[in-house]
Amino acid sequence: MKIINRLMVMPVVAAVLCGCCVLTGCINDDFTTSSSDVLAFSTDTVAFDTVITLQGTATKQMVVYNRSAKQINISSIKVAGTATKGHFHLNVDGIRGDEFQNVEIRGNDSIYIFIEAKLDEMEQNNPTSLQDRLVFVTNGVEQSVVLTAWGQDVVRLNGDTISGVAVLSADKPYLIYDTLFVAPGAMLTIEPGATLLFHDKAAMRCAGQLIANGTQQAPITLRGDRLDHVVGEISFDIMSGQWGGIIFTPPTMGNELSYVTMSGSSIGMHCSATDTTQCALRLFNCVLHNSSSTCLAIADCWVEAIGTEFSDAAEEVAYLAGGKVIMQQCTFANYYLFSSLTLPMVGMYDVEYSNGVTKQIHAEFDNCIFYGNTTELNMSDLEGTDVWLTNCLLKSSGEDDSHFIDCVWAGDPMFYTVREDYVFDYRLRNGSDAIGKGKTWLCPDVARYDRYGVDRFANNKDAVDLGAYTWVKAAEEE
C-alpha cells in the first residue's frame, strides 16, 4: 500500500479552499438599499398601436436592468389601473400575474417583462386612445413605464348570410369570421370609407351582387385583422395569407368595385360565371395586392378593370381562364416577398370542358404595364389567339406584330418599389419609360383621374402615362 505524505496533501487542500473562496467572492449576494440605485428600462413606453376591443393582443416585451453591482429587490411591480377600459396583463421573468412583490435582480443583470392587453368596448366609432402606467417600487423610489393603446370597436359578423338587400356602413370596421355569404338574388352594398377586417381563413362568397364603390377621399379596405407588427417596425401589412379572399360564384353578375384596396389574402379575388354575355365584375381604381396564390383569378366570365393595380403574388398576379377580359390603364407587377417566382405575371388559358367544347379566352390590354421579377405572359407568341396588347410596357425584349401593337419593349417603369426595404409602391419615378407612352383614345373618360386623384391629361393632352398611376415629378428632382 502506498503511503501519501500528509505534508504534501495540506498545500493542495489549502489551494482548493482558496480557489473556492475566490470563486464565491465573484458573486455579490448583498442587496443594495440605496435610493440612488434604481432600475433602468429598455423603453419608456410600451405601445400597442390599434387594438380591436374584446380581443387579445400580441405580446409586447421590455427589459428591466439592474445597473448596480449589488443585487436589487423590486418591492412591487403592478399596473396602475388608470385606464378603466384597458386591461394589461404581465408575465415577469416567466411568471404570469397582475401584481408582483419582491422581485430580485442580480447585480449587473436584467429580467424580461411581457405585456398583453385586452380592451373593453370604447362605445365610439373612431379609435380611442388609452394610457396606463406600469409602476415599479425599488428602495422606496417609484418609477414607471407608460402603456398605451388605441381601442377600436368593431361590428362582428360570424358566418352571416345576406339574403336580401344589406349595407355595410363606414361607421366602424367589420370583423368577419368564417364566411360572409351573399346569397343568389341578394345585394350587398359597402359604403365609401368602410373597412372589412377578415380573421384567419375568413372570406366573402358572393353568388348575388356586390357593390363596393369607394371614392378617392374615402376608399374601401379589405384586409386581415392583424393590425400590429411582425417584428419591430415591420407591419403585418407585408404578410400574405392572413385571410381567405373574395369569391364570386354563379349566378353572380353585375359586381362593381371602385377605389377598393384588397391585401394580404390567401386566394385573392376569384370570379366565375355561367354567362359571358354580361359583365360579371368591374374594377375601377382598385388595388389587389399581396396574395399567397393569385391576386385575380377568373374562369369563363366577363371581367373589366380600369386604373387597377395587380401586384405581388406567389403565383400569377392574374390568372385568366376563358371568358372576356378587358384591362385598361392597369399595372401588373410582381416582386412577391416570400418565395421565388416560377409562374408568369399574367397567365391566359383557353378552357376545355369534359364534353369536348373549348372556350377561347378573349383578352385586351390597353396602356398597361407588365414588370417584375418574373416573365410577363405565359404566351410569347400570340398568333392564332384572341389576345391583344396595345401600347403596353414589357420588361422583355421583343418586336411588335399584329397582336403586340405600339408596345414599349425592354422598358423600365422605374417604380418606387424597394423590395428589400418592404416598400411596394408602383407609382412612376422620374425617367420612367412609361411616361407619355399611352394613347389618349385608349384611356376611357372615366379613367381621367387615377387612384390618387392625379389627372392623366395634365402632363400631355396628346398622350397619357402607361399603367394605373400618372407620373408626378418628384420635388427633389425638379
Side-chain angles (χ1 to χ4, degrees):
M1 181 173 65
K2 188 173 180 180
I3 299 175
I4 301 175
N5 191 325
R6 292 174 61 189
L7 294 176
M8 294 176 62
V9 172
M10 291 302 293
V12 174
V13 173
V16 171
L17 292 174
C18 181
C20 291
C21 291
V22 171
L23 289 173
T24 56
C26 293
I27 300 175
N28 192 335
D29 288 326
D30 292 338
F31 283 87
T32 175
T33 57
S34 171
S35 60
S36 61
D37 288 332
V38 292
L39 306 171
F41 307 109
S42 59
T43 182
D44 60 4
T45 303
V46 177
F48 282 88
D49 300 319
T50 302
V51 175
I52 297 174
T53 56
L54 303 181
Q55 184 167 298
T57 67
T59 302
K60 299 285 187 177
Q61 71 176 40
M62 60 172 289
V63 185
V64 181
Y65 299 96
N66 173 17
R67 305 297 192 193
S68 169
K70 294 183 178 181
Q71 293 193 80
I72 200 166
N73 181 74
I74 309 172
S75 22
S76 173
I77 303 174
K78 65 179 181 179
V79 177
T82 55
T84 56
K85 289 181 177 290
H87 310 281
F88 297 91
H89 305 288
L90 308 178
N91 182 314
V92 176
D93 216 25
I95 301 174
R96 294 178 63 86
D98 292 329
E99 185 174 350
F100 298 81
Q101 287 84 34
N102 299 319
V103 177
E104 299 175 0
I105 308 178
R106 286 185 177 275
N108 295 312
D109 205 347
S110 62
I111 61 171
Y112 280 91
I113 295 183
F114 301 93
I115 307 160
E116 298 174 353
K118 188 171 183 180
L119 309 185
D120 298 336
E121 287 191 327
M122 301 291 109
E123 300 177 350
Q124 301 286 334
N125 289 337
N126 296 322
T128 303
S129 176
L130 290 179
Q131 184 168 303
D132 213 321
R133 294 184 304 124
L134 182 55
V135 181
F136 302 79
V137 178
T138 310
N139 295 334
V141 178
E142 181 177 295
Q143 298 171 271
S144 64
V145 172
V146 176
L147 305 176
T148 66
W150 286 86
Q152 175 64 70
D153 288 350
V154 297
V155 178
R156 287 172 167 81
L157 302 176
N158 194 343
D160 288 42
T161 294
I162 296 169
S163 55
V165 177
V167 177
L168 300 185
S169 74
D171 292 342
K172 63 181 70 172
Y174 292 83
L175 178 55
I176 298 171
Y177 297 91
D178 202 349
T179 299
L180 175 61
F181 179 52
V182 183
M187 183 172 71
L188 171 63
T189 298
I190 303 176
E191 291 188 342
T195 296
L196 275 62
L197 305 174
F198 292 82
H199 194 59
D200 182 33
K201 298 181 178 61
M204 179 190 297
R205 186 162 68 92
C206 179
Q209 185 180 22
L210 174 65
I211 304 296
N213 288 325
T215 66
Q216 194 265 319
Q217 296 79 15
I220 293 169
T221 301
L222 312 176
R223 57 159 297 160
D225 66 347
R226 294 297 301 268
L227 306 178
D228 51 325
H229 293 80
V230 179
V231 63
E233 295 302 313
I234 301 175
S235 168
F236 254 95
D237 290 344
I238 71 165
M239 303 298 292
S240 63
Q242 296 183 52
W243 57 287
I246 308 296
I247 307 160
F248 297 97
T249 61
T252 189
M253 202 61 63
N255 300 288
E256 298 180 6
L257 285 75
S258 301
Y259 292 95
V260 172
T261 296
M262 173 181 174
S263 62
S265 68
S266 294
I267 64 170
M269 187 174 292
H270 281 210
C271 186
S272 59
T274 56
D275 183 358
T276 57
T277 64
Q278 303 178 63
C279 187
L281 174 64
R282 284 190 175 92
L283 303 172
F284 174 67
N285 283 2
C286 292
V287 175
L288 275 60
H289 172 68
N290 198 21
S291 167
S292 53
S293 57
T294 59
C295 293
L296 174 69
I298 74 163
D300 199 22
C301 58
W302 180 348
V303 172
E304 296 180 358
I306 298 173
T308 292
E309 171 193 320
F310 303 90
S311 60
D312 304 319
E315 299 173 9
E316 301 98 335
V317 294
Y319 175 92
L320 313 173
K324 179 180 179 180
V325 181
I326 299 175
M327 304 283 188
Q328 298 169 301
Q329 298 290 160
C330 292
T331 294
F332 301 87
N334 205 351
Y335 290 87
Y336 186 68
L337 195 58
F338 300 105
S339 65
S340 58
L341 301 175
T342 60
L343 295 172
M345 269 176 277
V346 178
M348 294 174 286
Y349 308 93
D350 296 335
V351 177
E352 297 182 5
Y353 290 90
S354 57
N355 60 5
V357 174
T358 298
K359 290 191 177 181
Q360 189 178 39
I361 183 173
H362 171 87
E364 301 175 20
F365 300 88
D366 300 330
N367 290 351
C368 294
I369 293 175
F370 301 83
Y371 202 85
N373 286 341
T374 186
T375 56
E376 298 94 327
L377 310 173
N378 64 313
M379 298 182 285
S380 58
D381 185 359
L382 300 181
E383 289 299 324
T385 72
D386 199 14
V387 177
W388 314 84
L389 278 71
T390 305
N391 287 88
C392 292
L393 182 148
L394 300 100
K395 184 177 182 179
S396 299
S397 299
E399 296 181 351
D400 286 347
D401 57 26
S402 58
H403 288 261
F404 292 97
I405 303 166
D406 293 335
C407 289
V408 178
W409 295 94
D412 186 350
M414 296 186 68
F415 297 135
Y416 280 96
T417 293
V418 184
R419 184 175 181 269
E420 55 270 25
D421 293 338
Y422 312 122
V423 175
F424 300 94
D425 184 343
Y426 294 102
R427 288 175 289 181
L428 309 178
R429 291 167 47 212
N430 294 358
S432 169
D433 292 329
I435 297 172
K437 299 297 175 59
K439 294 286 196 302
T440 54
W441 61 270
L442 291 173
C443 179
D445 291 340
V446 69
R448 174 165 184 167
Y449 296 95
D450 70 13
R451 189 169 65 89
Y452 291 94
V454 181
D455 188 349
R456 296 188 191 277
F457 303 136
N459 295 326
N460 189 339
K461 300 297 183 183
D462 299 319
V464 295
D465 303 335
L466 302 179
Y469 306 115
T470 300
W471 167 63
V472 177
K473 189 173 184 179
E476 67 273 14
E477 297 180 36
E478 290 181 347

